[in-house]
Amino acid sequence: MKKDKVNIYDIAEMAGVSIATVSRVMNGSDKVSEKTRKKVMEIIERESFTPNVFAQGLGLHTMHTVGILVPDISDPYMSAAVAWIEKGLSENGYDCILSCSGFEPEGKQRHTEMLLSKHVDALIFLGSTYAGSGKSTEETEYIRKAAAQVPVFTINGYVKGDNIYSSVNGDEEAVYEVTKKLILKGRRKPVFLTDSGSYSALKKRKGFERALRECGIEADESTKIHVENTIYGVRDALLSKKESFDAVIAANDIIAVGAVKYATAAKRKLPEDLEIVGYNNSGLVRVCEPELSSIDNKTEQMCRDTVKRMIAVLENGSTVENKKVVISCDFVERGTTDIGG
Amino acid sequence: MKKDKVNIYDIAEMAGVSIATVSRVMNGSDKVSEKTRKKVMEIIERESFTPNVFAQGLGLHTMHTVGILVPDISDPYMSAAVAWIEKGLSENGYDCILSCSGFEPEGKQRHTEMLLSKHVDALIFLGSTYAGSGKSTEETEYIRKAAAQVPVFTINGYVKGDNIYSSVNGDEEAVYEVTKKLILKGRRKPVFLTDSGSYSALKKRKGFERALRECGIEADESTKIHVENTIYGVRDALLSKKESFDAVIAANDIIAVGAVKYATAAKRKLPEDLEIVGYNNSGLVRVCEPELSSIDNKTEQMCRDTVKRMIAVLENGSTVENKKVVISCDFVERGTTDIGG
């Protein structure tokens, strides 16, 4: 069969490279070695190749796109983080496409593959659910597979592997510090509320229990309450709790708001009768009345830092030195505690 | 130049159709006429064509993807809506990719083009900002251009044009009804708070002013306050307002929460001294104390309905009869009003 005009397939074949590489050369990407660039350019010039409309329609000129996976975009922490990432990428000339994977392994894997099929330059996994519980490496195999194709960045969860860059919070330390302050102030019956057993939830719990042990308080099943991630669910769980408690550390702000609603229903005065600490310092803290004391996990900083490292990897091809960055948290005191910000 | 094996370009050329059409035939899409399908299939069989890995890598087999544009994903209404759309699409075997365009014309246009370049089967424009102010058709020209390529669905804004399907709320009616109830109950100094001049904000204002006029209250500049979309911004704007007011209708829940914070700061009792109505019935209404009365614009229903209509258009190729669907709103009474839900 005869063809009048060479296409990008032909150029790739003649140069012995992939069409993605040809496309990168045409787009002036830095990711191609000088040697490869020269070879491809020579063939492009020799064959008088100009990209045709088909190739353009096929998206070969639409690189500079990053895929973001989130479990649930309706969560205020997730949606705020996506907004920050998107802003950072946009400032660097990158677009983003977002995919909601849910919390189940099947969905995580399927959505990862879907994003890879869209020719993203890199993937961001946002949320500690992607790092699994840490019990087996099998849980995160899909992330390592993806990292064989493009650089992968995880936010709020650590995953070990080549081409994987993680940013995590100093969750354990932050919860440890705040719990200790509450205990030293006289709170002898603190409880930890969580809705998940994720990487980050486990670290928070660890910090909580370390503070209790150091202060001679037993950390048992009564000091940890598993709740659903809804305001009324938490309120009702606390209303039906038999053991008394005088301080609440919540794994996120929604759970903490549920504890505030419990205090209103149970007529317990905040912060005199009960102190409540949220986590994420999200948009909810100011809506709440009294306004919610919360651990600020620096969403903006973490997202900006991730984008910065991503640009370094993508545009300089260099491997970033520090593959695991730990960003420490700040405690922000508002109306639900009185321990000093 | 000789080629051993035909590719999808060749098939398209021989059949005299686009490669998108060849791809649709191979994927068993209903969008191809019987005649075209037959012709393409005959050539595929005659040439013993099997899709090669290049074509797969180029995304020809990754249709079933819908692009969603939002101005700001950190807005709780937007993120809740995206979660509902994503759920509906996923149940129908479609993936979604999301793009944050911001509120400026340039961003809207650029992100629309970016999503189209990703071979989406359809586009959803979420939020009334995309419909513009209605002052000129130029504002929405980019949407009509997109609709020349794929079916377009707008949520919460009406855009006229071929291949464009809009779902809007009965915003005017909803605000009219609630304002009238407040006035009939004795509130003679209601104010309307908005942060935007979008399609939907203008309709809400229209409903508000109609109720005032009908009840013999003058609707002038003092009854409409333009605020920024932040809790403290609204609180401070109300604290510095000279004219007195006894009821607040807010264009969204964030603004309404700002009014609740104003009431706390000004020591005005809710709902006795002041009544406040929010809009969207978002995740914030239960966080607020007292919990916020709000107009429920049926986000879930609107998103599910949009997905249903989209599937009908994509899979049956049929044009949906009713191109503009109006979904009426419900008023949900909680602690910030006492007019009867």
Side-chain angles (χ1 to χ4, degrees):
Chain A
M1 198 198 147
K2 286 241 178 212
K3 283 192 66 118
D4 297 321
K5 199 166 177 296
V6 299
N7 62 31
I8 193 166
Y9 292 90
D10 306 323
I11 300 290
E13 210 180 311
M14 292 185 242
V17 300
S18 71
I19 46 170
T21 300
V22 177
S23 170
R24 282 198 194 99
V25 171
M26 297 190 311
N27 287 316
S29 160
D30 290 331
K31 281 180 287 180
V32 186
S33 76
E34 202 36 50
K35 195 180 148 199
T36 304
R37 177 193 314 284
K38 229 182 131 190
K39 185 170 62 182
V40 172
M41 281 311 294
E42 276 171 14
I43 291 167
I44 284 177
E45 278 160 32
R46 190 187 75 202
E47 303 286 330
S48 309
F49 172 63
T50 48
N52 63 27
V53 282
F54 279 165
Q56 283 176 356
L58 284 169
L60 293 174
H61 294 272
T62 56
M63 301 294 185
H64 280 70
T65 305
V66 172
I68 306 175
L69 279 106
V70 290
D72 174 14
I73 192 62
S74 70
D75 180 287
Y77 166 72
M78 301 289 166
S79 57
V82 169
W84 284 121
I85 294 169
E86 200 275 336
K87 194 161 184 280
L89 289 173
S90 169
E91 285 166 6
N92 284 283
Y94 282 77
D95 293 310
C96 75
I97 58 182
L98 178 120
S99 188
C100 306
S101 70
F103 290 89
E104 299 304 319
E106 188 274 336
K108 290 175 184 173
Q109 180 151 348
R110 198 171 64 75
H111 285 263
T112 303
E113 286 162 10
M114 190 274 283
L115 283 179
L116 287 172
S117 79
K118 302 288 173 197
H119 310 294
V120 293
D121 294 292
L123 280 181
I124 299 178
F125 291 85
L126 172 61
S128 71
T129 181
Y130 296 110
S133 64
K135 279 174 197 152
S136 93
T137 57
E138 224 173 88
E139 288 177 312
T140 51
E141 201 48 44
Y142 69 104
I143 294 184
R144 274 179 294 276
K145 265 192 185 166
Q149 294 187 53
V150 294
V152 164
F153 296 78
T154 64
I155 293 184
N156 210 11
Y158 175 55
V159 178
K160 212 178 158 170
D162 284 343
N163 215 17
I164 302 175
Y165 306 88
S166 297
S167 293
V168 296
N169 278 124
D171 294 315
E172 183 182 336
E173 210 53 30
V175 172
Y176 165 79
E177 294 286 353
V178 119
T179 308
K180 197 147 182 195
K181 269 192 181 174
L182 284 164
I183 297 172
L184 292 177
K185 195 209 147 189
R187 300 295 180 188
R188 301 297 296 176
K189 292 171 178 170
V191 288
F192 175 68
L193 267 54
T194 181
D195 67 319
S196 97
S198 72
Y199 175 82
S200 141
L202 291 173
K203 282 198 306 169
K204 292 169 192 168
R205 183 182 173 185
K206 220 169 144 188
F208 174 80
E209 295 185 344
R210 178 149 66 93
L212 264 60
R213 275 197 310 274
E214 273 190 19
C215 299
I217 300 174
E218 200 184 344
D220 57 17
E221 281 314 300
S222 76
T223 58
K224 188 206 138 201
I225 312 176
H226 192 92
V227 291
E228 55 171 287
N229 191 25
T230 67
I231 293 173
Y232 291 165
V234 173
R235 181 196 62 187
D236 296 345
L238 292 180
L239 282 170
S240 68
K241 184 170 162 66
K242 285 190 200 89
E243 300 89 351
S244 67
F245 55 95
D246 55 14
V248 169
I249 317 279
N252 70 42
D253 287 334
I254 292 174
I255 295 174
V257 169
V260 171
K261 294 290 172 183
Y262 151 80
T264 307
K267 299 202 165 66
R268 295 185 69 176
K269 225 169 166 263
L270 300 173
E272 294 84 349
D273 301 345
L274 175 68
E275 290 180 277
I276 297 170
V277 177
Y279 211 104
N280 289 345
N281 204 35
S282 68
L284 301 183
V285 298
R286 291 201 174 85
V287 178
C288 193
E289 188 68 39
E291 295 185 11
L292 191 64
S293 299
S294 186
I295 293 170
D296 183 355
N297 54 355
K298 312 282 187 68
T299 309
E300 179 182 355
Q301 187 189 333
M302 195 174 239
C303 294
R304 286 200 175 275
D305 180 74
T306 296
V307 170
K308 202 174 148 191
R309 297 206 293 155
M310 176 181 290
I311 300 299
V313 170
L314 288 178
E315 311 220 323
N316 306 327
S318 71
T319 50
V320 172
E321 279 171 40
N322 193 355
K323 287 208 175 178
K324 181 185 177 182
V325 170
V326 180
I327 292 177
S328 62
C329 305
D330 280 347
F331 173 64
V332 183
E333 180 151 272
R334 297 192 184 84
T336 58
T337 58
D338 184 21
I339 51 177
Chain B
M1 194 197 152
K2 286 241 179 211
K3 284 193 65 120
D4 297 322
K5 200 165 175 297
V6 298
N7 63 31
I8 193 167
Y9 292 90
D10 307 323
I11 299 290
E13 210 181 311
M14 292 185 244
V17 299
S18 71
I19 46 170
T21 300
V22 178
S23 171
R24 281 198 194 98
V25 170
M26 296 190 312
N27 287 315
S29 160
D30 290 331
K31 280 180 286 181
V32 186
S33 75
E34 202 36 49
K35 197 180 146 197
T36 304
R37 177 193 315 282
K38 229 182 131 189
K39 186 169 62 182
V40 172
M41 282 309 294
E42 276 171 13
I43 292 167
I44 285 177
E45 278 160 31
R46 190 188 74 202
E47 304 285 330
S48 307
F49 171 64
T50 48
N52 64 28
V53 282
F54 277 164
Q56 283 176 359
L58 284 169
L60 293 175
H61 294 274
T62 57
M63 302 292 185
H64 280 70
T65 305
V66 172
I68 306 175
L69 280 106
V70 289
D72 174 15
I73 192 64
S74 70
D75 180 286
Y77 166 72
M78 300 289 167
S79 57
V82 169
W84 285 120
I85 294 169
E86 200 275 334
K87 193 161 185 281
L89 290 174
S90 168
E91 286 166 6
N92 283 283
Y94 282 76
D95 293 312
C96 76
I97 59 184
L98 179 120
S99 188
C100 306
S101 70
F103 291 89
E104 298 305 319
E106 187 275 337
K108 289 175 185 174
Q109 181 152 348
R110 199 171 63 75
H111 285 264
T112 303
E113 285 162 11
M114 190 274 281
L115 283 179
L116 286 172
S117 79
K118 301 288 174 199
H119 310 295
V120 293
D121 294 292
L123 280 180
I124 299 178
F125 291 85
L126 172 61
S128 71
T129 182
Y130 296 110
S133 64
K135 278 173 196 151
S136 91
T137 57
E138 223 173 88
E139 289 177 311
T140 51
E141 201 49 42
Y142 70 104
I143 295 184
R144 274 179 295 276
K145 265 193 187 167
Q149 294 186 52
V150 295
V152 164
F153 295 78
T154 65
I155 294 185
N156 211 13
Y158 175 56
V159 178
K160 212 177 156 173
D162 284 343
N163 214 19
I164 302 174
Y165 306 88
S166 298
S167 292
V168 295
N169 278 125
D171 293 315
E172 185 183 334
E173 210 52 31
V175 171
Y176 166 79
E177 294 285 353
V178 119
T179 308
K180 198 148 181 192
K181 269 191 182 176
L182 285 164
I183 298 172
L184 292 178
K185 195 207 149 191
R187 301 295 179 188
R188 301 298 296 177
K189 294 170 177 173
V191 288
F192 176 69
L193 267 56
T194 181
D195 66 321
S196 98
S198 72
Y199 175 82
S200 138
L202 291 174
K203 283 199 304 168
K204 291 170 193 167
R205 185 182 172 185
K206 219 170 145 188
F208 174 79
E209 295 186 345
R210 178 150 65 94
L212 264 61
R213 276 197 309 275
E214 273 189 21
C215 299
I217 301 174
E218 202 184 342
D220 58 16
E221 281 314 301
S222 76
T223 57
K224 187 206 140 199
I225 312 176
H226 192 94
V227 291
E228 55 171 289
N229 192 24
T230 67
I231 292 173
Y232 291 165
V234 173
R235 181 196 62 186
D236 296 345
L238 292 180
L239 283 170
S240 68
K241 186 171 161 62
K242 286 189 199 90
E243 300 89 351
S244 68
F245 55 94
D246 55 14
V248 169
I249 317 279
N252 70 43
D253 288 334
I254 292 175
I255 295 173
V257 169
V260 171
K261 295 289 172 182
Y262 151 80
T264 307
K267 299 203 165 65
R268 295 185 69 176
K269 221 165 171 266
L270 300 173
E272 294 84 349
D273 302 345
L274 176 68
E275 291 180 275
I276 297 170
V277 177
Y279 211 103
N280 289 346
N281 204 36
S282 68
L284 302 182
V285 297
R286 291 201 174 83
V287 178
C288 192
E289 188 68 38
E291 294 185 11
L292 190 64
S293 300
S294 186
I295 292 170
D296 182 355
N297 55 355
K298 312 283 186 69
T299 310
E300 178 182 355
Q301 187 189 332
M302 197 174 237
C303 294
R304 287 202 175 273
D305 181 73
T306 296
V307 170
K308 201 174 149 191
R309 295 205 295 155
M310 175 180 290
I311 301 299
V313 170
L314 289 178
E315 311 220 324
N316 306 327
S318 71
T319 50
V320 172
E321 279 172 42
N322 193 355
K323 286 206 174 176
K324 181 184 177 183
V325 169
V326 179
I327 291 178
S328 61
C329 305
D330 279 347
F331 174 65
V332 183
E333 180 152 271
R334 297 190 184 84
T336 59
T337 58
D338 184 21
I339 51 177

